[in-house]
Amino acid sequence: IPQARDLGRPAPLVILLHGSGGDYRNLVADFAAGQDLEKHPMLLANAGAFYYQEYQHLAFHDVLGVLADVQKKYPVDPDRIYCQGISLGGRGAMEMAALRPGLFAAVCPQGSYGATQEPDDLPFFLNQTEWGRWSVARWDMRTYLPNLATTPTQFVYGHRDPVTPPLNALTFAHLLKKRYGGRVEALGFDTDHNITVPHYHWSNTREWFLKQRRELNPTNFTVRTASLRFNQFYWATVDQFQTHWQLAELAVRTTNDLAAIQPRNITQLSLQPPAPLRIIALDQQRFALGSNN
């Protein structure tokens, strides 16, 4: 808790996710990384991965648990919650935002990875069975990039990084911006995997964070999911798949008061559309929304 932060009003919060060589304590304490806690004062919290599980399963829920705990104890501004991670935590920051769209106002993956195969290894993917392609796609971060389109994302990478080569971050940034219309920054530095001062100050990302606020109910979005554990997307909830071993996709496009919804591999949805939406077009049928719908 920075001394310069007034806790008499809602405060921004950033959750830091460590890499595989660290633990839940090291990032806040790492002044050598340029944390400079008083320069851009905001609440900082750490969450930890569970032994190389990455930020999935137990660790995913640990991040949510840390967030809930901080929210109970301090006046957190729900529209200014951010996530930043390095290496293993870099993928974690992307994954948290992709599985829970609308939770974070912005994220910063540093030294990111998450392509199941090399980003240009198309023959490998095409030579898999249908089950194999689904299995590969399920764990590939490129699959879930549409989910990040409404979350501003700052990719930080080292030009000489042999652990998480810059091709990963550059591929993610390009696809997210050009294919899915995401709000993206990509910052490269002449460093290896450990991107810190004097090249890069973590506090500079916090300055960028403070310019971003959460988009509460976007009217246009596309989301993908492989599990009903992660099925809530803004004002839409996926309740049932048609086939459980295939990815599900939901595309929503809005014009004035009409929301056109295109589901793929989804048989049941729950919707709570925000105003001024009054009509839902689903599978070529239109439904008028009343006050209790």
Side-chain angles (χ1 to χ4, degrees):
I1 306 173
Q3 294 180 359
R5 189 70 224 174
D6 177 13
L7 293 182
R9 53 193 178 91
L13 164 69
V14 60
I15 296 179
L16 299 176
L17 306 182
H18 65 79
S20 61
D23 61 27
Y24 66 92
R25 299 166 294 183
N26 70 316
L27 288 182
V28 168
D30 191 1
F31 290 93
Q35 289 290 12
D36 196 3
L37 303 182
E38 303 298 329
K39 187 174 182 180
H40 305 293
M42 54 199 304
L43 301 175
L44 272 73
N46 268 335
F50 289 79
Y51 295 97
Y52 298 97
Q53 273 194 35
E54 300 187 338
Y55 288 90
Q56 303 165 1
H57 310 299
L58 291 174
F60 178 88
H61 293 285
D62 184 56
V63 176
L64 299 181
V66 167
L67 172 58
D69 186 56
V70 175
Q71 288 177 313
K72 288 180 181 177
K73 296 175 179 177
Y74 305 100
V76 175
D77 185 342
D79 296 330
R80 293 189 295 169
I81 300 173
Y82 312 98
C83 188
Q84 181 177 14
I86 181 171
S87 192
L88 180 130
R91 175 185 168 120
M94 295 176 63
E95 195 153 36
M96 291 297 304
L99 296 179
R100 287 293 303 272
L103 177 62
F104 297 107
V107 294
C108 176
Q110 177 178 330
S112 56
Y113 65 96
T116 308
Q117 297 295 314
E118 290 298 320
D120 57 352
D121 193 2
L122 185 61
F124 174 87
F125 186 80
L126 294 178
N127 288 332
Q128 300 299 304
T129 63
E130 184 177 6
W131 176 273
R133 285 195 293 270
W134 172 80
S135 181
V136 170
R138 181 176 182 177
W139 298 108
D140 196 313
M141 280 309 307
R142 290 169 293 180
T143 299
Y144 303 103
L145 285 178
N147 301 26
L148 289 166
T150 59
T151 303
T153 306
Q154 184 186 80
F155 292 93
V156 177
Y157 63 93
H159 292 297
R160 296 183 285 106
D161 185 349
V163 180
T164 54
L167 179 60
N168 289 282
L170 291 171
T171 298
F172 295 147
H174 177 79
L175 289 174
L176 182 54
K177 183 175 182 178
K178 298 297 183 180
R179 181 174 296 180
Y180 303 117
R183 290 169 285 174
V184 177
E185 281 193 5
L187 305 178
F189 299 91
D190 187 25
T191 67
D192 55 17
H193 189 56
N194 190 31
I195 313 167
T196 56
V197 293
H199 303 280
Y200 167 71
H201 293 250
W202 283 56
S203 66
N204 291 347
T205 289
R206 291 208 302 279
E207 181 181 16
W208 176 78
F209 276 158
L210 290 172
K211 299 175 184 176
Q212 319 300 329
R213 298 184 70 88
R214 178 176 60 157
E215 186 173 354
L216 284 176
N217 284 308
T219 51
N220 297 304
F221 57 88
T222 299
V223 288
R224 294 172 180 165
T225 181
S227 171
L228 290 177
R229 291 179 298 164
F230 312 115
N231 63 338
Q232 297 179 6
F233 309 110
Y234 307 108
W235 47 271
T237 301
V238 178
D239 296 315
Q240 187 172 316
F241 292 167
Q242 182 174 2
T243 304
H244 281 272
W245 56 271
Q246 291 182 349
L247 291 165
E249 180 176 287
L250 183 68
V252 177
R253 298 294 178 267
T254 299
T255 303
N256 298 324
D257 63 347
L258 169 67
I261 299 178
Q262 293 182 317
R264 182 169 65 86
N265 195 35
I266 297 171
T267 58
Q268 186 171 324
L269 283 169
S270 297
L271 305 174
Q272 293 182 315
L277 295 182
R278 291 291 178 266
I279 303 173
I280 298 294
L282 178 64
D283 288 338
Q284 299 182 345
Q285 296 186 59
R286 292 196 176 195
F287 302 89
L289 303 179
S291 58
N292 296 322
N293 287 118

